[in-house]
Amino acid sequence: VKQLESSEESLGSFDLGLVRNYAISQWTLPTPQPNQQRPRAHLTHDGNQRIMTSLVASSELCVSFNRLLGVILRLMGDKSASLRKLSVKAILQVVNIDPALMTQPTVRKEVSRCFHDESISVREAAVSLVGDYIMQSPNLAAAFHAPILERVVDKGISVRKRAVRIFRDVLLSNPTYEGRVTACHAMMQRAADRKEDDGVRDLIHETFHTLWFNSKAFDMGSIGSPVKSGQLGTKAELYCREVSAQMVEVVRASGSN
């Protein structure tokens, strides 16, 4: 800059572009001599990651993340049902990339409130969000068991179907899930209701057929693990024991003799 100021040429007002171009020109590598290779600089993988992290952390989008998140959370309480639904889906997109977002109390509070939204589409979007989150973090399924169980008897057909699918996926991935009895009992009650939608009843029947009468179902859970040496019974026997135990628990919970 001092060299430019001392130049005999009249520069007029301060030109930031001229300063930038001058600074860039100082980094131009000298012209290589014949048979002389141009030096190359390489960054390691760790160096690239550090640079990218630094650039992203200092970007306007990253700095404004909390403010943008606050805007989306406020839209989840907007008067327009379409905006509430879109805001929930926006949170879903972020959670699919970073499930840790659901650990924030403000986010979980707004999502829980959407479970009781007057709009069916908003409730369905909220249930879908929690369902995707649970499948990424199965150990947290118990924390959302009660809210999802309430949606099994939701007024919206699409919401009830989504809740049933969530419990089906949870039980397939974890046959020993602590809330399996109440979940199965609630689904059976819906299937036994003559006023229930045929689509919901068919989905529940399909769910129990997969859980109890499909030998491949428990390959995703503890039954799928190799049988240890000296352990009594074959894999098929272990499968039958697990299924029988679940049936007895569900029947006992229903109060039937």
Side-chain angles (χ1 to χ4, degrees):
V1 175
K2 290 182 179 180
Q3 292 182 27
L4 290 174
E5 292 177 345
S6 62
S7 175
E8 295 180 355
E9 298 179 2
S10 177
L11 299 178
S13 59
F14 182 77
D15 190 340
L16 181 60
L18 183 60
V19 174
R20 181 177 64 249
N21 293 334
Y22 176 79
I24 293 176
S25 67
Q26 306 306 304
W27 289 88
T28 302
L29 293 176
T31 303
Q33 300 297 325
N35 301 327
Q36 180 182 3
Q37 294 184 349
R38 182 183 294 271
R40 296 181 179 180
H42 297 280
L43 285 175
T44 63
H45 179 69
D46 180 64
N48 285 324
Q49 283 189 329
R50 293 175 62 183
I51 290 177
M52 292 303 299
T53 301
S54 177
L55 291 174
V56 172
S58 60
S59 67
E60 183 178 356
L61 180 62
C62 186
V63 173
S64 305
F65 178 80
N66 290 332
R67 179 172 60 83
L68 295 175
L69 177 61
V71 172
I72 296 177
L73 293 179
R74 285 195 296 272
L75 287 176
M76 292 172 70
D78 192 85
K79 294 181 180 180
S80 172
S82 59
L83 280 178
R84 297 198 301 272
K85 175 184 175 181
L86 289 174
S87 61
V88 174
K89 288 189 174 182
I91 294 294
L92 171 60
Q93 296 298 319
V94 179
V95 170
N96 286 336
I97 302 299
D98 183 15
L101 182 67
M102 282 293 289
T103 61
Q104 296 191 20
T106 54
V107 176
R108 294 182 64 166
K109 179 182 178 181
E110 287 300 318
V111 172
S112 298
R113 186 188 59 76
C114 288
F115 267 60
H116 303 279
D117 194 279
E118 61 183 13
S119 171
I120 294 177
S121 61
V122 176
R123 296 199 301 273
E124 181 184 0
V127 173
S128 298
L129 190 161
V130 172
D132 287 1
Y133 173 61
I134 286 177
M135 294 315 299
Q136 295 185 60
S137 307
N139 57 323
L140 300 177
F144 294 94
H145 178 81
I148 298 176
L149 194 64
E150 292 178 357
R151 294 309 102 201
V152 174
V153 295
D154 192 275
K155 293 181 179 180
I157 295 176
S158 60
V159 180
R160 297 200 296 273
K161 285 184 176 180
R162 191 69 183 97
V164 171
R165 291 191 183 98
I166 291 175
F167 279 129
R168 178 195 61 191
D169 294 340
V170 170
L171 292 173
L172 282 174
S173 61
N174 182 17
T176 59
Y177 173 59
E178 293 182 358
R180 64 184 182 276
V181 177
T182 55
C184 291
H185 179 55
M187 289 188 289
M188 280 192 165
Q189 284 185 320
R190 297 313 306 165
D193 189 348
R194 296 181 178 180
K195 297 181 180 180
E196 181 57 88
D197 177 76
D198 290 340
V200 177
R201 297 175 69 178
D202 291 343
L203 179 60
I204 294 175
H205 291 158
E206 177 187 348
T207 297
F208 280 108
H209 182 271
T210 302
L211 290 174
W212 289 351
F213 304 107
N214 186 355
S215 60
K216 296 181 180 180
F218 288 91
D219 287 344
M220 300 175 62
S222 58
I223 297 299
S225 58
V227 179
K228 298 179 181 179
S229 59
Q231 188 175 15
L232 296 177
T234 62
K235 224 180 213 187
E237 291 175 341
L238 292 175
Y239 167 78
C240 292
R241 291 174 189 173
E242 184 68 26
V243 169
S244 300
Q246 285 192 10
M247 289 181 176
V248 171
E249 290 175 345
V250 172
V251 172
R252 185 178 301 166
S254 65
S256 302
N257 295 325

